[in-house]
């Protein structure tokens, strides 16, 4: 794996998350009906950061949940020999809520489709709005993000690697070329 380009550093990520929090509040005319749900692993930490920023902006606590979509993926049988299953943690009612679904990178749309399937098992939200830190194009399904941090065109042999301090010890987004 060869690094081709640094897409975002820690300051860029911080600025982008601040902007996304403002856009979410603006589009939803406040945050009273919001709940934020992150897709494990990095979407979880991005969701917590966005929720914290949104809560500070609006001076109210926004519920945060975490989805583990392992068994909802359509490629679980193809790719993962022994999938590492973690827990889904949604300890609030999602019915009639405006759910902000958060992931780090949007590519084919399959992860988001799996997340939507799982989310619907918890209830019927009023809306589901997708937030991604990086949209790299290449959709296989008709899914698009409502809020995008950065759009990056990639080829099939390239990958967007997101590093977050909670998982990787640093905040960084890289464009890498796979061998």
């Amino acid at each position: 794996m060869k690094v081709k380009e640094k897409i975002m550093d820690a300051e860029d990520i911080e600025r982008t998350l601040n902007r996304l929090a403002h856009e979410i509040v603006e589009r939803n005319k406040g945050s009273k009906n919001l709940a934020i749900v992150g897709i494990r692993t990095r979407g979880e930490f991005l969701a917590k950061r966005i929720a914290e920023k949104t809560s500070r902006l609006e001076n109210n606590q926004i519920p945060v949940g975490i989805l583990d979509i392992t068994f909802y993926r359509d490629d679980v049988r193809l790719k993962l020999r022994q999938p590492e299953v973690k827990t889904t943690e949604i300890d609030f009612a999602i019915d009639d809520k405006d759910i902000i679904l958060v992931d780090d990178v949007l590519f084919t749309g399959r992860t988001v489709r799996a997340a939507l399937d799982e989310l619907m098992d918890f209830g019927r939200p009023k809306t589901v709005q997708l937030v991604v830190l990086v949209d790299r194009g290449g959709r296989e399904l008709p899914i698009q993000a409502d809020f995008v941090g950065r759009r990056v065109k990639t080829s099939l042999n390239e990958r967007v690697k997101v590093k977050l301090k909670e998982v990787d010890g640093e905040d960084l987004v890289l464009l890498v070329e796979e061998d």
Side-chain angles (χ1 to χ4, degrees):
M1 180 168 53
K2 181 180 114 188
V3 175
K4 287 187 73 172
E5 179 185 344
K6 180 166 68 170
I7 298 170
M8 300 172 86
D9 62 18
E11 288 178 1
D12 294 328
I13 292 171
E14 182 68 16
R15 268 193 303 277
T16 298
L17 294 178
N18 283 328
R19 176 178 53 82
L20 291 171
H22 280 88
E23 288 177 7
I24 290 165
V25 170
E26 183 178 349
R27 184 169 306 168
N28 288 282
K29 297 176 176 55
S31 63
K32 297 234 182 304
N33 199 45
L34 294 181
I36 299 179
V37 177
I39 301 172
R40 283 203 196 270
T41 292
R42 286 164 186 81
E44 164 189 353
F45 297 107
L46 292 170
K48 288 176 181 176
R49 291 189 201 182
I50 291 169
E52 179 185 314
K53 291 173 184 309
T54 307
S55 292
R56 261 191 275 126
L57 276 173
E58 290 289 289
N59 200 27
N60 71 328
Q61 203 58 33
I62 297 171
V64 179
I66 303 161
L67 284 178
D68 178 10
I69 61 158
T70 303
F71 287 126
Y72 286 80
R73 292 189 61 94
D74 58 7
D75 62 356
V76 72
R77 289 170 303 283
L78 303 174
K79 278 188 176 177
L80 304 173
R81 283 218 161 131
Q82 188 66 36
E84 183 181 340
V85 180
K86 297 181 179 159
T87 59
T88 288
E89 301 168 28
I90 298 178
D91 60 0
F92 51 87
I94 71 165
D95 293 321
D96 294 317
K97 284 279 196 198
D98 293 305
I99 301 295
I100 306 299
L101 183 62
V102 182
D103 203 8
D104 57 349
V105 178
L106 177 57
F107 181 39
T108 63
R110 293 183 182 279
T111 296
V112 174
R113 187 222 34 96
L116 289 170
D117 285 351
E118 182 173 3
L119 198 57
M120 295 308 151
D121 285 347
F122 282 85
R124 190 172 193 278
K126 181 179 173 190
T127 64
V128 178
Q129 300 163 51
L130 179 60
V131 177
V132 296
L133 186 61
V134 179
D135 181 346
R136 62 174 281 201
R139 258 5 135 258
E140 295 175 0
L141 299 174
I143 290 175
Q144 70 179 16
D146 299 282
F147 306 95
V148 177
R150 185 83 45 101
R151 293 181 198 282
V152 178
K153 285 289 182 198
T154 63
S155 64
L156 290 177
N157 68 326
E158 295 173 327
R159 196 165 59 94
V160 173
K161 181 152 181 60
V162 174
K163 293 183 169 196
L164 296 177
K165 60 186 171 195
E166 296 91 341
V167 182
D168 309 295
E170 65 179 334
D171 284 349
L172 191 62
V173 180
L174 302 169
L175 180 62
V176 298
E177 194 169 35
E178 298 190 329
D179 302 325

